[in-house]
Amino acid sequence: MHPAYSVIFFTTLTGAGYGLAALLGFGLADPAMLSAKLGYFLALGLITIGLLSSTLHLGNPKNAIWAFSQWRSSWLSREGVLAIVTFVPVTVLAFTNIFMGLHIGWLGWVSAILCMMTVYSTSMIYASIRTINLWNTWLTSASYLLFSVAGGAVILTALLALFEGGSGDMPKIAIIALVVAWVAKWFWNKRQSEGYGGSTMASATGLGHLGKVKLLERPHAMENYLTREMGFRVARKHAAKLWNIAVLMGLLVPAVMLAIAFGLQGSTTAILLSVVAVFAHMIGMLVERWLFFATAKHAVSLYYGDTALDVR
Amino acid sequence: MTTLPLATNKKLGLVIDLDTCVGCHACVIACKEWNTGGYGNALSDQQPYGAEPEGSFLNRIHTFEIVPEGGEVIDQSADSRVVHFPKSCLHCEDAPCVTVCPTGASYKRAEDGIVLVDEDKCMGCGLCAWSCAYGAREMDISAGVMKKCTLCVDRIYNETIPEVDRIPSCVRTCPAGARHFGDLGDPQSDVSILVAERGGFDLMPEQGNKPTNKYLPPRERKPLSDAVNAGFETANADNVGDATGFFGWIDKTLSKGSSNSKVGEK
């Protein structure tokens, strides 16, 4: 699948934003603290930029208002509705935290649950697509949700280190969240070997009973929407290397830095490492999300001779 | 509404005969011609006369080569066989392209099962094309909305055109009679009988889309290598050994005086 930057930024930024908002909703930062106030500001910023980024993906954005109408059947519509609904508690909490130094416990829980429901809906946009076997699994949702929480935890750790002189137990929570998220992702990634699931060129053409089917002639000499959108090829060549980079930046670097920062609580080094951990993690997530799209194979490729799309 | 109708009595669709399709692409062009001026936005082309011409089409012909197990491939013939494979929207009963649509632009008609896109609602997110296993939907690059086969909904019910033309453009134009249009929900219809007699099948049934369109398998035939070997003796222009009558006389007369007597006797 073609890895569109708009969708990569949409999923990574809203993921981190909702994760941060959810952790703040659970009351992990004292509302009197500057980091809680900035945290809400940052969460709303990440969510808003992410959602705006998603609209860049549209061919005809003037009709986007209709996207809130089909929540009965469409996960994309549900995501849109939930994103708007979630703005209400997050914005109210941001207001009470920033201007009144007040956290409303029950609303925090409502906010956190809505944040996670929104991330779940985002994940289901992909997980519900049967044609892309790699995505069509609950592990897609699990990794989206866990990465969201892990991203929020890494950001909150840095905020606490920067403005409160120490992040308490947050580095530990962040490291655990990172490890758990990457375990889910590792299981997800193992499914690469399943290819198209049950579909083959034989089932796509119904000609398997005659022998081995191969493409003799494409229907068109040049590219078209399908080959560009579904048949992205560049990344697969470097997939293994990029996976290593994603694990290094998304898991190992931030986890090690946060572990050191935990040991040196309060020092300038700890602050610096906590901030670097955020940037490393975000870079890792961008690579991970790029691979999420780029390595996903679409069943329609079978009509183009399976690997024909890989090599051209 | 992007929820699917529970059931449609009529299931209008196509039956495509892979035995008779000659891969001429006439249906592709007829489809483009009708639909660029018909339903919704035009089917745009990008750089039609430039270095990399491309455009939106609702019907495309792939060509496959099938080599039987243990089959022999000699040059371009022997045991392998070529099948031309037209592919357009299959108007699935369980159409994922409809349910994933967030705007309600994509819908399946309860009255005849045709899957359509309301371009006044489509925001061009492309999710329906992602959900389609058959590559039946293409985003029009210039209009930014999703295009797909309408089963020529603006022909089949159109009382302003002669009755003979009230079938999809691709079916009307096919010179080989490889495309058939009808109600697959009615077991007594011509298309249903054709499907039953010829063993029509679904594409990628494992995807669970329950496509309406059916494909008829290529008929049994002798391997091309057999045909070539059997036909070689008579098909060879040099072989006139058994020519009789007028042609025998010509052969005999023209062979006189040439260094090699009768060619066929070589």
Side-chain angles (χ1 to χ4, degrees), chain A residues 33-285:
Chain A
M33 297 192 302
L34 183 59
S35 45
K37 301 179 199 296
L38 281 173
Y40 272 108
F41 189 74
L42 194 58
L44 280 170
L46 287 169
I47 293 167
T48 309
I49 295 168
L51 290 173
L52 287 176
S53 168
S54 75
T55 63
L56 297 175
H57 183 64
L58 304 178
N60 192 25
K62 72 172 166 29
N63 282 343
I65 190 75
W66 289 103
F68 301 109
S69 67
Q70 301 303 312
W71 48 270
R72 282 182 209 82
S73 72
S74 164
W75 280 106
L76 179 48
S77 185
R78 284 170 199 162
E79 198 269 344
V81 172
L82 279 165
I84 298 300
V85 171
T86 308
F87 264 115
V88 177
V90 177
T91 311
V92 169
L93 287 170
F95 182 85
T96 61
N97 271 262
I98 293 169
F99 296 106
M100 299 153 77
L102 179 74
H103 181 70
I104 306 164
W106 67 268
L107 192 61
W109 279 94
V110 171
S111 167
I113 290 165
L114 280 171
C115 283
M116 288 299 104
M117 282 169 67
T118 311
V119 175
Y120 179 73
S121 301
T122 308
S123 74
M124 283 305 289
I125 296 172
Y126 307 106
S128 66
I129 305 265
R130 291 195 294 258
T131 49
I132 302 161
N133 185 58
L134 186 61
W135 295 353
N136 193 212
T137 163
W138 64 273
L139 286 166
T140 299
S141 300
S143 54
Y144 265 72
L145 285 165
L146 291 166
F147 275 134
S148 170
V149 172
V154 174
I155 295 172
L156 187 55
T157 307
L159 285 172
L160 290 171
L162 267 171
F163 302 108
E164 316 305 333
S167 13
D169 282 337
M170 261 324 281
K172 273 202 278 187
I173 296 172
I175 292 169
I176 293 167
L178 281 171
V179 170
V180 173
W182 278 99
V183 167
K185 183 69 193 181
W186 183 79
F187 278 109
W188 180 90
N189 202 50
K190 263 178 63 173
R191 298 179 72 260
Q192 299 268 8
S193 58
E194 289 180 22
Y196 299 100
S199 294
T200 59
M201 280 189 76
S203 73
T205 60
L207 299 170
H209 64 284
L210 294 173
K212 187 167 168 43
V213 184
K214 67 172 193 171
L215 184 75
L216 186 65
E217 237 176 34
R218 288 159 58 113
H220 41 96
M222 297 298 157
E223 298 293 306
N224 75 351
Y225 172 75
L226 297 174
T227 58
R228 241 184 279 104
E229 184 77 2
M230 324 289 179
F232 190 75
R233 304 163 293 273
V234 182
R236 286 184 211 150
K237 195 174 151 195
H238 305 294
K241 254 184 221 164
L242 286 165
W243 169 257
N244 290 340
I245 293 172
V247 174
L248 181 74
M249 299 301 277
L251 169 66
L252 298 178
V253 170
V256 169
M257 289 196 171
L258 291 179
I260 298 170
F262 184 64
L264 305 171
Q265 289 262 8
S267 69
T268 317
T269 318
I271 296 172
L272 200 67
L273 289 179
S274 306
V275 174
V276 172
V278 173
F279 287 99
H281 178 69
M282 289 312 288
I283 290 168
M285 288 317 295

Side-chain angles (χ1 to χ4, degrees), chain B residues 35-264:
Chain B
N35 286 293
T36 202
Y39 186 96
N41 281 286
L43 292 166
S44 73
D45 288 318
Q46 282 69 47
Q47 305 185 44
Y49 304 104
E52 291 185 13
E54 60 173 85
S56 322
F57 286 78
L58 311 182
N59 177 34
R60 305 233 189 215
I61 315 298
H62 299 241
T63 299
F64 297 102
E65 183 181 24
I66 300 109
V67 184
E69 203 156 325
E72 209 181 340
V73 183
I74 306 162
D75 289 339
Q76 286 162 25
S77 61
D79 298 325
S80 72
R81 66 186 292 177
V82 169
V83 175
H84 302 289
F85 196 94
K87 191 165 60 57
S88 53
C89 173
L90 308 176
H91 298 279
C92 301
E93 264 180 71
D94 197 347
C97 56
V98 171
T99 53
V100 298
C101 176
T103 64
S106 203
Y107 63 105
K108 185 173 175 68
R109 298 182 1 148
E111 63 267 39
D112 53 17
I114 299 180
V115 176
L116 290 174
V117 174
D118 176 355
E119 294 178 9
D120 292 333
K121 282 187 179 172
C122 176
M123 66 174 186
C125 69
L127 194 57
C128 55
W130 287 11
S131 76
C132 175
Y134 311 108
R137 289 172 171 244
E138 295 184 18
M139 179 104 74
D140 189 273
I141 304 299
S142 122
V145 295
M146 198 54 73
K147 305 296 295 190
K148 69 174 294 300
C149 162
T150 67
L151 215 57
C152 283
V153 71
D154 48 356
R155 284 175 72 99
I156 59 176
Y157 297 114
N158 192 339
E159 291 180 2
T160 65
I161 59 174
E163 203 171 345
V164 69
D165 287 331
R166 290 179 209 160
I167 52 174
S169 189
C170 57
V171 178
R172 185 78 181 94
T173 209
C174 179
R179 305 181 71 104
H180 307 270
F181 165 71
D183 179 8
L184 288 144
D186 171 10
Q188 299 309 315
S189 69
D190 289 349
V191 281
S192 295
I193 292 167
L194 190 60
V195 168
E197 282 179 357
R198 292 278 306 279
F201 59 87
D202 288 348
L203 303 186
M204 287 200 258
E206 71 281 359
Q207 290 274 342
N209 304 325
K210 292 192 225 153
T212 299
N213 286 13
K214 301 284 183 257
Y215 282 74
L216 306 180
R219 290 184 175 89
E220 291 279 322
R221 62 133 222 227
K222 286 182 196 157
L224 205 56
S225 52
D226 286 6
V228 168
N229 292 333
F232 189 76
E233 290 300 313
T234 47
N236 192 337
D238 286 347
N239 187 357
V240 290
D242 54 354
T244 54
F246 178 65
F247 289 108
W249 173 77
I250 289 182
D251 180 38
K252 220 163 84 184
T253 310
L254 293 181
S255 298
K256 270 179 199 162
S258 64
S259 56
N260 52 336
S261 58
K262 246 181 120 179
V263 188

